[in-house]
Amino acid sequence: DEQGNLATDANGRILAGDVRAGENQGLLSMQTLFAREHNRLVDELAERAPSLTADELFQAARTRVEAEIQSITYNEYLPMLVGENALSAYQGFDSSVDPGISIEFATAIFRLGHSQVSPELRRLLDNGQTIEAGNLTLRAAFGASPAVVAANGGIDPILRGLGDGTFAPRVNYATG
């Protein structure tokens, strides 16, 4: 929409690439952030290369957003989780490596990720103080919609709270 929020269908379900986009306000905020980044990149690419088709612009921006997410994951999240030097430097594409994921690994990593979810979603002002409406319990944050998030200060307070570090993993799993 004109405020940069994710679209919804006639039943109020959020239209995003992930069916869980509206599961909670934190996830909705992250989905919205990356959708806005995608659209910003489409605009930038369209200005630089006006001959690109709409599909080419979409795919080019999608590739860039995926690269940003991968960079954040590998350069910021995983070192915090498993230790600074636990991952070797990228050596280039290796076609012999199976890119699939085992059900055992997927199950384990989902459990790990879910154990890192805080029971409270912090919503912060620019100065780090809690917004007037207060923080949200995780329970209250479920069933998010763009309208609910917008009515409570938008995604910025939620993203500030998610990035605050207060609820970051407190254990380095590489060293215990």
Side-chain angles (χ1 to χ4, degrees):
D1 68 11
E2 58 274 355
Q3 286 88 29
N5 295 319
L6 296 175
T8 56
D9 66 13
N11 296 317
R13 289 184 298 253
I14 296 164
L15 300 174
D18 188 334
V19 296
R20 299 164 297 172
E23 179 183 274
N24 67 67
Q25 292 186 32
L27 189 53
L28 175 62
S29 296
M30 294 295 291
Q31 291 280 342
T32 302
L33 174 72
F34 285 112
R36 288 177 183 175
E37 172 65 354
H38 177 271
N39 292 341
R40 183 192 71 77
L41 289 167
V42 165
D43 291 344
E44 181 181 289
L45 291 165
E47 188 173 306
R48 286 194 323 206
S51 64
L52 293 177
T53 67
D55 189 55
E56 289 170 328
L57 289 167
F58 177 89
Q59 294 301 334
R62 178 181 177 192
T63 299
R64 285 165 175 79
V65 169
E66 288 172 352
E68 290 174 358
I69 293 170
Q70 289 173 4
S71 178
I72 292 165
T73 301
Y74 282 93
N75 296 321
E76 297 179 37
Y77 175 71
L78 288 175
M80 180 179 70
L81 183 66
V82 297
E84 287 294 325
N85 297 312
L87 302 174
S88 60
Y90 179 66
Q91 301 296 315
F93 179 74
D94 181 351
S95 62
S96 69
V97 174
D98 179 1
I101 186 169
S102 71
I103 190 69
E104 297 84 3
F105 178 78
T107 300
I109 205 66
F110 274 126
R111 295 302 148 255
L112 172 67
H114 288 142
S115 74
Q116 295 175 332
V117 175
S118 171
E120 182 178 65
L121 203 61
R122 298 193 65 201
R123 298 187 295 180
L124 304 176
L125 298 167
D126 285 340
N127 65 7
Q129 299 298 310
T130 302
I131 67 169
E132 188 175 326
N135 295 324
L136 289 173
T137 63
L138 184 58
R139 180 179 184 181
F142 269 81
S145 75
V148 168
V149 173
N152 287 291
I155 68 170
D156 291 348
I158 294 169
L159 293 172
R160 283 187 209 105
L162 291 172
D164 179 54
T166 304
F167 296 109
R170 291 179 177 84
V171 175
N172 179 326
Y173 292 94
T175 61

